[in-house]
Amino acid sequence: MCRSLPRTARADLVASLVVFLVALPLCLGVAVASGVPAEVGLVTGIVGGLVVGALPGSSLQVSGPAAGLTVLVYEAVRAHGLGALGVLVLAAGLVQIAVGALRLGRWFRAVSVAVVQGMLAGIGLVLIAGQLYALGDVAAPAGAGGKIAGLAGLVGAAEPAALAVGAGTVLVLVLWPRWRAAARVLPAPLVAVGLAAAVTAVLRLPVRRIEVHGLLDAVRPPGAGEFGRLTEVGVVGTVLAFALIASAESLFSAAAVDRLHQGPRTDYDKELIAQGTGNAVCGLLGALPMTAVIVRSAANVRAGARTKASRVLHGVWLLLFAAALPAALGLIPVAALAGLLVHAGCKLIPVRELVPLWREHRGEAVVLGVTAVAIVVTNLFEGVLIGLALAVAKTAWDISHVHVETVDRGAAGLVVRVVGNATFLRLPKLLDALEALPVDRRVRLDLAGLRHVDHACAAALEGWAQRREPRSEEVAGGAQAGRIATSRSTK
């Protein structure tokens, strides 16, 4: 039957099955790590396929619950309750739709890559710290700091059987892709989780398994009273964090997917509207937020997908599995999903890029590291804001170069040329150079090489010229230079 289909339809069908096999364990793992029932992750995956998959934007990238939002969702559920999750996700989706409709999607590409990598690295560190507890069937302490502080005593408290299952899952995830022939047929996440479930069942290991409640029970539309929470400052901050991080991750994923194929390029504004629509639907269903996920998207492209039909069909397979075989979920050990998330968290940390980045762009490496540490120490939203502020400060510092050149014209005096961008960041350097000039020589300032002078530097030049003027009749040029600087700053 498959061979009787047209070539494009056959390619999309095969690709959809591959993506389904990759997405199934990831949907479950992200949900459990987020502190919500496992079926909630499947709901988001289904919406990502059936709704977002059918909308224009990026033709081949696949959406669903992502590890990048796990930490934020967990903290949001803990702070505001599971009932408020739908409102948060719905509001974030509406923000994404508005940003896309206003054609502001391209501005997300202006976000510093170092901030995005630092954000993912921070998420990866917090995710690993939390999932190591689940790896040993141990309750995790609250807060990222508590999780990290408690790691020292984790080995003694962990359940040996669960630890073995989790470690075995990670080992399979690392080794299976090296068997390329087999990896093309069965993706590593499915093999790892399937083997863990089979070994646990056969040996009857005393490990915790996923609790199954049914797909319909996982659908929890937000109540009318929950919408009043949107007036709270903390809730609004969480909504903006959802929208910002989901949008940035989706658009960066789109850029990466575009490099993997020769088909139509992504329309970033339409993709934001599609992602926002998907999150709005997820919010109405009380499900997890979604982003475009590079792991599933890359699997889709490499499996030979030609059109968006592959990602829609992957949603169909998720729906059929959740409806027909929900009991199968109850066989999966929580430690196996924790191993899956630990592996995903490690891949979020750009270890290989750190050394070259430090050698070539040391400032960017600092931004990456500070962002990651800030997320671990504070929280995801504040950490990203700190990273963005540091990136802006670094850029301002980089572009505010000012160079002072002094030319001795003998009896004609000194000519001082100021070149570059004179901003308050470089004001100490500028004043040090000017105040070091001999007081008994005629001085003329040449500001023709200045591309920009801010108000602080203009005022400083004016003040310097006025201080020099009484000491010599020949320093009128300095006062004139100060007035020129002031006039330039008002243009």
Side-chain angles (χ1 to χ4, degrees), residues 259-282:
R259 291 194 291 268
L260 296 177
H261 67 91
Q262 301 300 318
R265 304 294 91 179
T266 299
D267 184 314
Y268 285 90
D269 295 313
K270 290 182 179 179
E271 180 63 19
L272 265 187
I273 293 174
Q275 294 293 329
T277 302
N279 275 320
V281 173
C282 286

Side-chain angles (χ1 to χ4, degrees), residues 72-251:
L72 185 58
V73 172
Y74 180 85
E75 294 297 331
V77 171
R78 189 169 65 89
H80 309 296
L82 183 58
L85 180 61
V87 172
L88 296 173
V89 177
L90 171 61
L94 295 178
V95 171
Q96 289 181 291
I97 293 173
V99 171
L102 293 172
R103 303 190 64 80
L104 299 177
R106 65 184 183 277
W107 288 103
F108 279 92
R109 291 181 289 176
V111 177
S112 168
V113 175
V115 173
V116 175
Q117 289 182 321
M119 176 190 75
L120 295 176
I123 291 171
L125 290 172
V126 177
L127 185 60
I128 293 169
Q131 292 307 301
L132 286 176
Y133 291 90
L135 204 70
D137 274 356
V138 177
K147 292 182 177 67
I148 294 175
L151 290 177
L154 179 59
V155 176
E159 173 65 40
L163 201 58
V165 169
T169 302
V170 175
L171 188 63
V172 172
L173 289 169
V174 173
L175 297 180
W176 185 260
R178 298 184 181 182
W179 188 8
R180 296 186 178 180
R184 292 192 190 100
V185 179
L186 291 174
L190 182 71
V191 174
V193 174
L195 284 176
V199 170
T200 301
V202 171
L203 301 181
R204 297 180 180 180
L205 298 178
V207 299
R208 190 160 55 98
R209 294 175 174 82
I210 292 178
E211 296 180 6
V212 181
H213 303 287
L215 191 63
L216 292 179
D217 292 334
V219 176
R220 300 179 182 180
E226 298 293 342
F227 286 91
R229 305 288 299 276
L230 293 175
T231 59
E232 301 175 14
V233 175
V235 170
V236 172
T238 302
V239 168
L240 294 177
F242 276 166
L244 172 65
I245 295 169
S247 300
E249 189 168 347
S250 295
L251 296 187

Side-chain angles (χ1 to χ4, degrees), residues 23 33 93 163 195 225 284 312 332 377 380 391 446 475:
L163 201 58
L195 284 176
L284 292 173
V312 175
I332 300 175
V377 173
L380 187 57
D446 181 1
V475 297

Side-chain angles (χ1 to χ4, degrees), residues 2 8 29 43 49 64 116 140 178 208 212 245 272 287 293 296-297 303 307 319 325 356 390 405 442 472:
C2 185
T8 298
V43 173
V116 175
R178 298 184 181 182
R208 190 160 55 98
V212 181
I245 295 169
L272 265 187
V293 186
R296 295 168 217 181
S297 303
T307 70
L319 177 61
L325 299 170
L390 184 60
E405 301 173 352
R442 177 186 301 175
S472 171

Side-chain angles (χ1 to χ4, degrees), residues 10-36:
R10 184 165 65 247
D12 287 335
L13 177 61
V14 173
S16 71
L17 291 170
V18 172
V19 177
F20 158 69
L21 295 177
V22 173
L24 177 62
L26 288 174
C27 288
L28 300 174
V30 170
V32 172
S34 300
V36 301

